[in-house]
């Protein structure tokens, strides 16, 4: 029996710290709100009224993801806000690959002992990512679990819900032989392949001092947040016949591009059609990584790949570039066994 009365705080959970965090993040959350949000932060559930004038035949599209072991680098180098943007991006980019508009987002933040400044920085990044995506941050969970996580450690998960009219779903069924493949530039490795990245970084002396050219440092390049494509893709869908969208995540181009293809179609990509950011050159050289392994592990400079009719390619590139996304014609759809061929 305990000699003195024990409290939750004695066990490592500080409810007051959690309340201070809620107070800190209130304005950040408010800045992401949309008219459809019906309740303020703090309820048991979050309320969102779907606008049926915009979605008369609504289909909800849901996605959940984390940021993988990029989180370890973010914690090591103090990039807590950046990793919050990554969390939103990884979920939102999956949802928009079906042609959906991201509507709202929730996060899960788990830690050993709540550091209010650290958690607020992460959630600041999440809110910033939600603003970029046009979705509302309507709730989340902060779990303080001593014994499960060491002091200073934290983990993240995100959840995004979007909507699309049934007739406007992009599922790749209309992809046809002769269509053009459009590649959308990535901001870096995004949030995939970081177990290998961290292994390669361990081989380098003083990673903070490594320059990749044009004033770009290695650490900054590796911690650059994942690009959020929601605005650009929405503009493209509104102006062009988009037949397929692939989010290039784990598995790279070889495994993600076929996910948007029907049977009988193969995606032929030409490697010299898009520039590869210098960070990938450094990773390949330092880790002595084969070309095949690079393509299967990293996005190699393309965050999304889209299929449009051949006659729409120039218009697609124009719209994407007007929305601050670098884009290139990177290949075409040919007849063959469903897959990706990279020449």
């Amino acid at each position: 029996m305990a000699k003195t009365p024990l409290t939750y705080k004695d066990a490592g959970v500080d409810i007051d710290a959690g309340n201070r965090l809620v107070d800190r993040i209130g304005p950040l959350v408010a800045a992401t709100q949309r008219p459809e949000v019906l309740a303020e932060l703090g309820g048991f559930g979050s309320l969102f009224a779907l606008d049926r004038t915009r979605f008369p035949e609504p289909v909800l599209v849901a996605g959940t993801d984390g940021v993988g072991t990029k989180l370890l680098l973010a914690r090591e180098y103090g990039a807590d806000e950046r990793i919050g943007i990554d969390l939103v991006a990884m979920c939102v980019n999956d949802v928009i690959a079906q042609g959906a508009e991201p509507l709202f987002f929730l996060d899960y933040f788990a830690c050993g002992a709540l550091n209010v400044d650290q958690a607020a920085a992460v959630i600041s990044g999440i809110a910033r990512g939600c603003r970029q995506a046009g979705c509302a941050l309507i709730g989340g969970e902060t779990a303080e679990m001593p014994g499960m996580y060491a002091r200073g450690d934290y983990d993240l998960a995100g959840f995004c819900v979007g909507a699309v009219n049934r007739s406007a779903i992009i599922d790749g069924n209309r992809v046809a032989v002769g269509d053009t493949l459009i590649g959308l530039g990535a901001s870096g490795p995004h949030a995939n392949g970081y177990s290998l990245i961290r292994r390669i970084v361990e081989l380098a002396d003083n990673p903070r001092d490594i320059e990749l050219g044009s004033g770009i440092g290695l650490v900054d390049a590796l911690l650059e947040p994942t690009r959020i494509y929601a605005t650009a893709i929405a503009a493209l869908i509104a102006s062009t016949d988009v037949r397929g969208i692939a989010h290039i995540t784990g598995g790279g181009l070889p495994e993600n591009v076929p996910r948007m293809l029907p049977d009988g179609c193969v995606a032929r990509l030409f490697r010299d059609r898009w520039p590869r950011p210098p960070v990938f050159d450094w990773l390949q050289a330092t880790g002595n990584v084969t070309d095949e392994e690079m393509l299967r592990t990293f996005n190699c400079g393309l965050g999304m790949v889209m299929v449009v009719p051949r006659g729409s390619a120039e218009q697609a590139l124009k719209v994407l570039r007007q929305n601050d996304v670098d884009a290139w014609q990177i290949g075409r759809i040919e007849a063959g066994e469903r897959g990706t061929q990279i020449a």
Side-chain angles (χ1 to χ4, degrees):
M1 179 180 294
K3 294 181 180 180
T4 58
L6 291 176
T7 66
Y8 211 5
K9 189 171 183 178
D10 293 329
V13 178
D14 188 345
I15 294 176
D16 291 333
N19 291 334
R20 291 196 300 273
L21 176 62
V22 172
D23 291 340
R24 284 272 295 274
I25 67 176
L28 302 174
V29 173
T32 73
Q33 296 308 285
R34 296 169 50 124
E36 303 98 323
V37 178
L38 300 183
E40 295 181 358
L41 189 68
F44 291 103
S46 303
L47 304 177
F48 189 96
L50 191 64
D51 183 351
R52 293 298 297 271
T53 61
R54 296 188 59 241
F55 299 102
E57 43 171 3
V59 174
L60 297 181
V61 182
T64 182
D65 210 338
V67 294
T69 58
K70 185 174 185 178
L71 183 58
L72 296 175
L73 280 183
R75 291 205 308 247
E76 180 178 355
Y77 291 104
D80 299 307
E81 182 173 352
R82 296 189 197 184
I83 207 70
I85 300 173
D86 278 299
L87 182 67
V88 176
M90 295 304 291
C91 298
V92 164
N93 288 343
D94 276 348
V95 167
I96 62 178
Q98 307 297 305
E101 175 186 335
L103 299 176
F104 59 84
F105 188 88
L106 298 96
D107 69 277
Y108 176 78
F109 180 98
C111 60
L114 183 58
N115 179 321
V116 174
D117 290 338
Q118 181 186 60
V122 173
I123 297 171
S124 174
I126 292 171
R128 184 176 167 189
C130 286
R131 292 195 300 272
Q132 290 179 21
C135 64
L137 177 57
I138 62 172
E141 168 68 5
T142 301
E144 197 171 8
M145 296 188 287
M148 182 72 74
Y149 296 95
R151 182 174 291 274
D153 287 352
Y154 66 87
D155 199 6
L156 293 173
F159 313 87
C160 182
V161 173
V164 60
N165 286 311
R166 185 181 295 271
S167 60
I169 293 172
I170 298 175
D171 57 13
N173 284 338
R174 296 188 301 112
V175 171
V177 173
D179 286 347
T180 296
L181 290 160
I182 302 292
L184 281 62
S187 56
H190 287 180
N192 292 106
Y194 276 80
S195 293
L196 177 56
I197 286 173
R198 290 187 302 109
R199 184 73 177 271
I200 296 172
V201 170
E202 289 173 356
L203 301 173
D205 294 326
N206 301 317
R208 285 186 183 275
D209 297 333
I210 295 174
E211 295 287 333
L212 301 177
S214 301
I216 300 172
L218 173 65
V219 171
D220 281 339
L222 293 176
L223 290 173
E224 181 68 22
T226 303
R227 177 168 286 164
I228 295 173
Y229 298 94
T231 300
I233 288 182
L236 186 61
I237 290 172
S239 63
T240 310
D241 179 14
V242 179
R243 296 181 173 180
I245 305 175
H247 181 200
I248 311 305
T249 56
L253 294 163
E255 295 188 16
N256 285 292
V257 171
R259 296 169 65 180
M260 66 170 172
L261 301 180
D263 290 337
C265 287
V266 59
R268 182 175 295 277
L269 279 64
F270 299 96
R271 183 62 195 84
D272 61 355
R273 300 279 182 88
W274 76 91
R276 190 171 78 162
V279 65
F280 295 109
D281 297 333
W282 184 89
L283 289 167
Q284 183 166 20
T286 305
N288 193 25
V289 183
T290 66
D291 288 341
E292 180 181 10
E293 189 67 17
M294 289 293 296
L295 288 167
R296 291 186 69 247
T297 305
F298 304 118
N299 64 52
C300 291
L302 297 177
M304 300 283 247
V305 174
M306 312 179 74
V307 180
V308 300
R310 182 169 52 189
S312 300
E314 289 301 325
Q315 170 67 11
L317 294 175
K318 178 181 177 181
V319 171
L320 291 167
R321 290 166 182 165
Q322 286 174 340
N323 284 273
D324 299 320
V325 173
D326 293 329
W328 310 271
Q329 290 190 49
I330 61 169
R332 59 180 177 265
I333 302 296
E334 298 181 352
E337 183 178 353
R338 183 169 61 183
T340 307
Q341 296 179 1
I342 304 176

